[in-house]
Amino acid sequence: MLLRKRAEEILDMVDKTEEECKALGEASGGDIHIGAAESDGVKYLVRRIKAVQARYPRIRVHLYSGGRSGLARRLDQGLLDFAVLMESSGLSQYNCIPLPGADAWGVILRRDHPLAEKEALTPEDLLEAPLICPRQGLEKELSGWFQERVDRLNLAATCNLAYNGGALAREGLGCLLSFDKLAATRPDSPLCFRPLAPPLYSKLFFAWKKYAVFSPAAGVLLEEMKRHLSP
């Protein structure tokens, strides 16, 4: 299995290198590979991609969703040109542009759950409830928010994609700790969102390897991001 995984990564790198060689000297087309954590903040990146494709319709974007460790590994190996990472991820080895705003953590749960009656949820509120946690969020942001209570949590499941975590919550398996706006919580949905108290926020960054050499297409997107989002 290890050899198979490494072979797949090598083949991905071969394909990406071939794409870059074909696009050399031609900024009007080509492929850009981007990894992104699940977040409403990705919309700021999408707007810049849309602006680039309006000028260069032959540029294609390939989006890879995942957790921090998987995104960072693919970025370090050159399988990704860019990645959208959370600020707690250890960003010193990358060049970064902060995305506007920050994502609010909270709980996605069924409307008929007793905790849904509260306007916001504290660590004590969540100690007895079965929880569905994002794996890396539990290791970093959420463990800091729960502090010494983290060892007392009733962990029912972990997930790395909010959509699947929302399906677990919708079926009553537990309460999903997640960012706001990642699950359908409109009035006709069986799910609702309750923020954490005290509030917890995570900021996102558009990151790339230091000293990276980009294809013309990736270079166009980077210049677009710098022009519109650099502080």
Side-chain angles (χ1 to χ4, degrees):
M1 292 301 296
L2 176 62
L3 290 173
R4 176 177 176 175
K5 183 177 181 181
R6 292 292 179 258
E8 289 172 345
E9 292 172 349
I10 291 170
L11 291 174
D12 286 344
M13 176 59 77
V14 170
D15 291 341
K16 185 172 184 295
T17 304
E18 184 178 4
E19 292 168 0
E20 291 174 340
C21 288
K22 289 179 179 178
L24 284 175
E26 184 186 2
S28 62
D31 296 88
I32 308 172
H33 297 262
I34 305 173
E38 286 192 298
S39 164
D40 182 62
V42 172
K43 65 187 178 186
Y44 298 106
L45 167 62
V46 175
R47 291 169 185 172
R48 306 280 47 94
I49 292 172
K50 184 178 179 181
V52 166
Q53 288 186 327
R55 301 198 307 271
Y56 305 104
R58 292 175 56 209
I59 286 180
R60 297 176 299 272
V61 172
H62 306 278
L63 190 64
Y64 177 90
S65 299
R68 193 273 170 188
S69 59
L71 296 178
R73 177 171 56 82
R74 293 178 72 87
L75 185 60
D76 294 340
Q77 291 174 343
L79 298 174
L80 297 174
D81 298 303
F82 309 104
V84 177
L85 302 171
M86 285 193 292
E87 62 182 327
S88 63
S89 301
L91 300 174
S92 59
Q93 69 269 43
Y94 305 118
N95 292 317
C96 299
I97 297 174
L99 296 183
D103 285 283
W105 283 92
V107 180
I108 296 169
L109 69 167
R110 289 185 58 89
R111 293 184 183 276
D112 55 7
H113 194 287
L115 291 178
E117 298 177 2
K118 295 177 174 286
E119 293 185 1
L121 298 175
T122 67
E124 289 76 14
D125 292 329
L126 299 174
L127 287 181
E128 300 299 326
L131 297 179
I132 305 161
C133 296
R135 282 187 283 274
Q136 292 182 312
L138 187 59
E139 295 170 4
K140 296 181 179 294
E141 289 85 0
L142 294 172
S143 62
W145 186 77
F146 281 107
Q147 297 182 351
E148 71 280 356
R149 310 175 192 86
V150 70
D151 294 330
R152 297 163 52 197
L153 298 180
N154 179 8
L155 189 61
T158 64
C159 63
N160 68 331
L161 293 175
Y163 180 85
N164 291 337
L168 298 178
R170 189 167 55 251
E171 296 302 318
L173 184 68
C175 302
L176 173 64
L177 286 154
S178 177
F179 290 156
D180 193 7
K181 302 178 182 178
L182 292 188
T185 56
R186 54 186 180 272
D188 61 341
S189 168
L191 297 175
C192 62
F193 178 85
R194 296 293 180 264
L196 300 182
L200 177 64
Y201 298 95
S202 288
K203 191 161 182 61
L204 295 179
F205 290 80
F206 180 75
W208 64 96
K209 286 174 61 177
K210 292 181 178 179
Y211 313 112
V213 178
F214 293 112
S215 68
V220 167
L221 177 61
L222 180 57
E223 289 306 311
E224 177 77 14
M225 293 293 289
K226 287 181 177 179
R227 183 162 56 251
H228 290 273
L229 294 177
S230 287

